[in-house]
Amino acid sequence: MRIVLLGLPGAGKGTQAALLASSAGVPHVATGNIFRQAMTAGTPLGLQVREIVERGGLVPDQLTVAIVRQRLMEADAARGFVLDGFPRTVPQALALDAMLRGMAAPLERAVLLQMTADEAVARLAGRRVCPRCGATYHLQAAPPAPDGTCPRCGAAVEQRADDREEVQRRRVEAYEGETAPLVPHYEAAGRLLRVPAGGDVADVAARLRAALAGAAR
Ligand code: AP5
């Protein structure tokens, strides 16, 4: 499986990518997670990207592409991957196309999780994350423990710095300006699938699996 998930911030890319990758036995490669882990660990990469991520901007293409190239060269990615949050610009998509051509392993599908900006922002308002193990929760849809801790590891869950309202707006603008043009890019390549992202997690996952199975026939 070699899949890209596209969609507004909050559309559910991370949630669905984790389910899909685990059922297919391939790695879930999320550039946002890679940047946040580097920020938490205080690595040179983390220091370089912190300000950009926290204000809702996009990390420069060259740096992001180099990180993904390195990740896709790891042994587990030879079985395939689910990419979440990458590509996010047309130059990133062109770089991915070239990278995969070089590996003789073309992208199978780009799946657009469709949702309005208002619905996506409403979802982001309820998101909480665990700073220790990285688990994602939602105050209504997938709540943490009643005392505000992570049921998996016990750390206190928190709001992502870039989920503050004014930053959310900037991330939506970045999506509309830089990422939405990937829809016609993948449509022209005959690889785009559109999946409505409303409804609960299991419904979206079932819709996504059905769309992928239908496209494989
Ligand atoms: P990134 O982490 O990729 O953020 P994003 O694209 O804005 O996506 P989100 O993680 O906000 O949302 P999601 O669609 O994954 O939704 P989720 O599943 O969590 O990137 C962060 C930053 O890193 C960027 O702003 C940028 O600075 C930088 N960056 C990353 N990649 C880059 C790149 N390629 N180039 C340049 N810069 C880059 O779901 C959201 C919430 O809803 C959760 O609480 C979840 O529990 C809940 N939920 C999910 N599905 C459902 C459902 N069906 N019903 C109810 N609740 C649900």
Side-chain angles (χ1 to χ4, degrees):
M1 170 179 283
R2 290 182 299 276
I3 301 271
V4 160
L5 291 190
L6 300 172
L8 278 158
K13 301 180 296 296
T15 303
Q16 296 300 330
L19 294 172
L20 196 56
S22 129
S23 70
V26 298
H28 167 199
V29 177
T31 40
N33 291 350
I34 293 171
F35 294 142
R36 280 186 293 279
Q37 280 158 10
M39 285 157 57
T40 303
T43 64
L45 172 67
L47 295 174
Q48 195 177 348
V49 303
R50 176 179 292 281
E51 188 270 333
I52 300 172
V53 171
E54 290 190 348
R55 76 171 146 78
L58 291 183
V59 174
D61 287 336
Q62 218 184 345
L63 176 59
T64 309
V65 167
I67 286 165
V68 172
R69 179 175 290 118
Q70 201 177 357
R71 179 63 188 88
L72 294 189
M73 277 161 51
E74 287 179 32
D76 61 346
R79 293 194 302 273
F81 51 79
V82 179
L83 275 171
D84 155 18
F86 180 94
R88 227 177 178 95
T89 65
V90 170
Q92 290 182 14
L94 295 174
L96 178 66
D97 291 345
M99 216 184 284
L100 296 180
R101 254 198 317 276
M103 295 172 181
L107 188 70
E108 290 161 6
R109 295 286 158 199
V111 180
L112 174 64
L113 291 177
Q114 283 187 302
M115 162 158 280
T116 66
D118 285 348
E119 289 169 318
V121 163
R123 269 198 191 161
L124 290 179
R127 175 163 58 192
R128 295 294 180 272
V129 293
C130 174
R132 191 184 296 158
C133 72
T136 296
Y137 300 97
H138 189 278
L139 293 179
Q140 285 81 41
D147 65 353
T149 57
C150 173
R152 267 203 226 162
C153 76
V157 302
E158 53 189 38
Q159 194 167 32
R160 256 169 57 175
D162 61 346
D163 277 349
R164 291 190 318 269
E165 208 183 320
E166 70 281 10
V167 184
Q168 281 175 21
R169 226 171 303 118
R170 251 176 264 135
R171 288 164 57 207
V172 168
E173 283 165 17
Y175 175 84
E176 286 167 348
E178 303 288 336
T179 311
L182 299 188
V183 172
H185 172 83
Y186 286 120
E187 200 152 41
R191 305 221 182 283
L192 187 76
L193 284 180
R194 295 170 193 267
V195 173
D200 70 27
V201 171
D203 288 344
V204 181
R207 242 177 263 145
L208 177 51
R209 279 196 306 274
L212 289 171
R217 267 189 236 121

